[in-house]
Amino acid sequence: MSYHFRKELNDRYLLTSTLAKEIEKKLKKFPEGRIKVKHIGESQYYYYLNSCAEEKLLDKERDNVRIQELIQKNYLEKVLKASKAEALQLKKLIDRYPQTLAEDVYSSLSEDRRKIAKPIVLTDEQFIEQWQNVPYTPKPFKEGVPVYMTMRGERVRSKSEQLIADRLFVNGIPYRYEFPVEVNGKIIHPDFKILKVSVRKDVYLEHCGMMDNPEYSNDVVKRVQEYSQAGIILGDSLFLTLESSTMPFDVRVLDEMIKVSFR
């Protein structure tokens, strides 16, 4: 987990420092001076202030472009100030951030010591192994239905589910297929229970393969509502992949979920 947090700090530092550089370039193209806005009654008036702070009333229509440019300039100056301040503090934090955190200590021990020591804070690898090894009874398959096997050697119920499982596997995303979950007092079997390792959080992926079937699509809506009532919210800890007879499953959607939501 330390790796993920350190990476987030570096990513944010890169974002803020890059933003500051881009704004500095943009500001060079704006005119000198600034705008002062005065309210009198229900009317507002725009005054141009030069470097000596001398005021000149501007005409809203004739000087409209100038007003817009200087207000935008002022906004960018504020964003620049905030970006530089954040980047400065992030750089200090990154420089002072320890290289070894609590969850890293166990891995740094010698092999002999690791055989005896019992880790208090699990490494990501240990946490994943523990999560993957929780036993469960798989949901049974009906006789005579097609057999689809994943790269991991599991049987799934459709070609699309096989593709999803294999995509998760090759991307190193820990998952359990049809792992039983209690939702509102009843046991359901989400297609995929996924471990988002960076925050050690369970998320769920349901593949909805017959969305042009009205009865099936109504069942999907009902299940999403049941998930929501149990605190498993669509877009946060619940994700859907969809297809119909005329709109096949697009693996690019899954790839984006893996990149953005499952790591």
Side-chain angles (χ1 to χ4, degrees), residues 12 50 52 78 129 157 176 181 234 243:
R12 184 65 186 179
N50 59 24
C52 299
K78 291 180 178 179
E129 182 179 7
R157 300 181 189 279
R176 309 300 302 272
V181 176
L234 186 64
E243 68 177 311

Side-chain angles (χ1 to χ4, degrees), residues 209-228:
M210 299 186 293
M211 290 305 293
D212 48 355
N213 180 319
E215 184 177 350
Y216 179 90
S217 60
N218 284 334
D219 286 342
V220 170
V221 173
K222 181 181 178 181
R223 174 166 283 204
V224 169
Q225 291 174 342
E226 289 175 342
Y227 273 122
S228 297

Side-chain angles (χ1 to χ4, degrees), residues 15 31 46-47 68 90 102 130 149 161 168 219 243 256:
L15 173 66
Y46 298 95
Y47 289 83
Q68 288 183 12
L90 285 169
Q130 185 181 82
M149 301 299 296
E161 289 185 350
L168 294 172
D219 286 342
E243 68 177 311
E256 195 64 21

Side-chain angles (χ1 to χ4, degrees), residues 46-80:
Y46 298 95
Y47 289 83
Y48 171 75
L49 278 70
N50 59 24
S51 57
C52 299
E54 297 171 340
E55 296 183 3
K56 176 185 176 182
L57 180 63
L58 299 179
D59 184 276
K60 293 181 183 179
E61 294 185 4
R62 186 179 64 247
D63 300 315
N64 182 53
V65 173
R66 193 180 195 186
I67 292 170
Q68 288 183 12
E69 288 180 337
L70 291 176
I71 288 179
Q72 182 68 17
K73 176 187 175 183
N74 178 253
Y75 161 69
L76 291 177
E77 287 172 337
K78 291 180 178 179
V79 175
L80 176 61

Side-chain angles (χ1 to χ4, degrees), residues 194 196 203 235-236 239 256-263:
I194 293 169
K196 186 172 182 177
V203 299
D236 173 56
F239 299 86
E256 195 64 21
M257 287 182 181
I258 290 173
K259 182 171 67 175
V260 174
S261 303
F262 294 165
R263 292 199 181 279

Side-chain angles (χ1 to χ4, degrees), residues 19-35:
L19 179 61
K21 291 177 182 178
E22 291 176 352
I23 291 176
E24 285 177 335
K25 291 180 182 178
K26 290 179 182 292
L27 284 173
K28 292 178 181 179
K29 300 178 182 179
F30 283 86
E32 294 294 328
R34 60 190 181 90
I35 286 289

